[in-house]
Amino acid sequence: MIPAALLLITGVLLMLVAAVGLLRLRDPLQRMHSATKAGTLGATLVVIGVMLSTETTSAFTGVLAILFLLFTLPIGAQLLGRATYLSGAPLDGIGPDPIGELPPRPAPATTKADP
């Protein structure tokens, strides 16, 4: 029971770090990175902790859930990052454009205050 509790606590803390990263980071790409990295590891640790703590949970179901997370979240993050980049969203934390002009990227939209 102690290893399961440690895994559950660690997983929940990692998901809390991911949530704080979503709120605190400036750039959409940084927010996406925080959510996918810490969120994936945190959810995986929680699923493993639940598998260890209960006797009725099927290990097969837990392994399938972990594999689903590991396969889908990085692909979704890649698609969101590409869409963010191609939309012209400002990249505050990156400095000069790391990819250059491939693919062509629109200029970041500027907001004007109404007079």
Side-chain angles (χ1 to χ4, degrees), residues 4 10 22-24 27 35 49 51 56 60 65 73 75 89 91 97-98 104 115:
T10 305
L22 285 174
L23 297 174
R24 300 281 302 175
D27 190 87
M51 284 174 28
T56 59
F60 181 71
L73 288 176
I75 294 169
L91 304 175
D97 191 356

Side-chain angles (χ1 to χ4, degrees), residues 29 85-86 88-91 93-108:
L29 296 177
Y85 180 80
L86 292 176
L91 304 175
I94 294 183
D97 191 356
I99 299 177
E101 293 301 320
L102 295 174
R105 183 171 189 263

Side-chain angles (χ1 to χ4, degrees), residues 39-115:
T40 302
L41 183 58
T44 301
L45 291 177
V46 167
V47 170
I48 292 172
V50 168
M51 284 174 28
L52 292 176
S53 68
T54 60
E55 297 171 359
T56 59
T57 303
S58 170
F60 181 71
T61 305
V63 170
L64 282 179
I66 291 170
L67 288 175
F68 181 76
L69 287 172
L70 293 177
F71 285 128
T72 59
L73 288 176
I75 294 169
Q78 171 67 26
L79 293 174
L80 284 172
R82 180 176 169 82
T84 299
Y85 180 80
L86 292 176
S87 73
L91 304 175
D92 297 333
I94 294 183
D97 191 356
I99 299 177
E101 293 301 320
L102 295 174
R105 183 171 189 263
T110 59
T111 58
K112 295 181 182 180
D114 291 329

Side-chain angles (χ1 to χ4, degrees), residues 8 10-21 38-44 46:
L8 287 169
T10 305
V12 168
L13 288 176
L14 280 171
M15 287 192 285
L16 180 65
V17 166
V20 169
T40 302
L41 183 58
T44 301
V46 167

